[in-house]
Amino acid sequence: MFASVDRRLLYGLLVPSSCIIIGSIIWYYSNQKKGQIRSNRSEYLVLEVRVPVYCVGSIIGKGGEVIKRFQQQFSVRCVFAKEDEKSLDENYRILIIRGQQHHVYEAEVEIRRMIADLPQYEQIEMFIPENACGYLIGRNGATIRDIRDTSKARLNMDKKIIDNVEKKNFSRLIISGTSEQIAAAKALVEERLHNFEQKQQERENRSDIKPSFISNVEIILDDENED
């Protein structure tokens, strides 16, 4: 009888104790998980990096290949803000990096290293006579496109301006790229303009010869009529 009572008493003590222990374990891991979630949320970071316009293509890569690989490597999300948003400087684009704080900082360091390793771009201006613009651009842009492809520089025609001295219309041609690319593009543009001037001179020479020839013919006819 006493053994039966002791057994019931033992069970009565063990069951609540087990429940308390199990409950404590569940509570501990539950709070630990909540704390981890709160910690993860506090470590989430959104960072903006200014990227020079000439570097954007290299960072994105063909078909987005480079930036996709970059995101996988650093476990972050990267996206460029729209051109009309964020940056007030037209020479820069804003790259937004999202992810865990330490991943974002690592990604930022790598982005800045990539920018530093890329060749520095420069920009020059050339003023093209209005009557030579069509010749320089070519049919459907074929000529200026060929200059771009050959030199690897960027060429953009700006709005027409007025030369205050000669009162002639000019278009501003903006050439940007590395110093080597700019030099190559400038040489090709100057060569094209030189060819245009030669053609113009040939036309003027032909136009001068034609009236002279006609006047000579008229003189001969007049002499014949007098005879």
Side-chain angles (χ1 to χ4, degrees):
M1 179 179 177
F2 288 107
S4 176
V5 172
D6 291 341
R7 192 178 292 111
R8 286 198 299 271
L9 180 61
L10 181 61
Y11 288 158
L13 292 173
L14 286 175
V15 171
S17 300
S18 300
C19 291
I20 292 171
I21 293 171
I22 293 171
S24 299
I25 293 172
I26 294 172
W27 177 85
Y28 172 78
Y29 281 107
S30 176
N31 282 350
Q32 189 180 45
K33 188 174 182 180
K34 289 179 180 177
Q36 186 177 5
I37 292 172
R38 284 196 297 270
S39 176
N40 288 342
R41 285 177 178 172
S42 65
E43 291 178 359
Y44 189 83
L45 181 65
V46 178
L47 186 69
E48 296 181 356
V49 180
R50 290 206 326 160
V51 178
V53 171
Y54 67 85
C55 297
V56 173
S58 299
I59 290 175
I60 294 175
K62 188 175 182 180
E65 180 182 345
V66 174
I67 200 166
K68 287 176 184 175
R69 187 168 61 247
F70 182 86
Q71 291 178 119
Q72 292 174 356
Q73 180 182 352
F74 292 95
S75 301
V76 294
R77 294 288 298 168
C78 299
V79 61
F80 277 98
K82 294 180 180 179
E83 293 189 17
D84 57 345
E85 296 178 355
K86 298 290 184 182
S87 180
L88 299 177
D89 190 338
E90 62 180 7
N91 295 319
Y92 289 87
R93 293 281 303 278
I94 297 297
L95 177 65
I96 303 171
I97 307 175
R98 295 183 175 91
Q100 297 301 310
Q101 183 173 318
H102 63 286
H103 289 156
V104 170
Y105 286 141
E106 289 173 356
E108 180 195 12
V109 170
E110 180 61 18
I111 285 290
R112 296 194 184 281
R113 186 197 65 77
M114 291 171 65
I115 293 172
D117 288 346
L118 289 171
Q120 294 296 312
Y121 270 34
E122 302 171 6
Q123 181 174 295
I124 67 166
E125 297 177 350
M126 295 182 70
F127 295 96
I128 312 300
E130 185 181 22
N131 61 342
C133 289
Y135 186 79
L136 177 63
I137 294 171
R139 181 174 294 180
N140 298 323
T143 303
I144 201 165
R145 189 163 52 247
D146 183 60
I147 294 174
R148 287 193 189 110
D149 294 341
T150 303
S151 65
K152 307 302 180 185
R154 297 178 62 184
L155 289 83
N156 294 297
M157 281 285 191
D158 203 354
K159 295 179 180 179
K160 292 183 176 62
I161 63 170
I162 301 296
D163 187 322
N164 293 327
V165 178
E166 299 181 6
K167 301 297 182 183
K168 293 181 180 179
N169 289 334
F170 286 84
S171 285
R172 184 175 64 164
L173 176 65
I174 302 173
I175 306 175
S176 56
T178 64
S179 56
E180 293 81 6
Q181 292 169 348
I182 289 175
K186 184 180 178 183
L188 292 170
V189 170
E190 289 175 343
E191 180 183 356
R192 186 72 176 171
L193 293 177
H194 178 69
N195 292 340
F196 176 78
E197 290 176 359
Q198 284 186 325
K199 290 180 180 295
Q200 287 288 96
Q201 188 64 45
E202 290 173 2
R203 290 194 191 97
E204 290 176 2
N205 292 339
R206 284 198 299 269
S207 63
D208 290 341
I209 293 171
K210 188 174 181 181
S212 175
F213 173 75
I214 293 173
S215 61
N216 290 336
V217 170
E218 290 176 348
I219 292 171
I220 293 171
L221 290 174
D222 289 340
D223 291 341
E224 289 178 351
N225 290 333
E226 290 177 0
D227 293 341

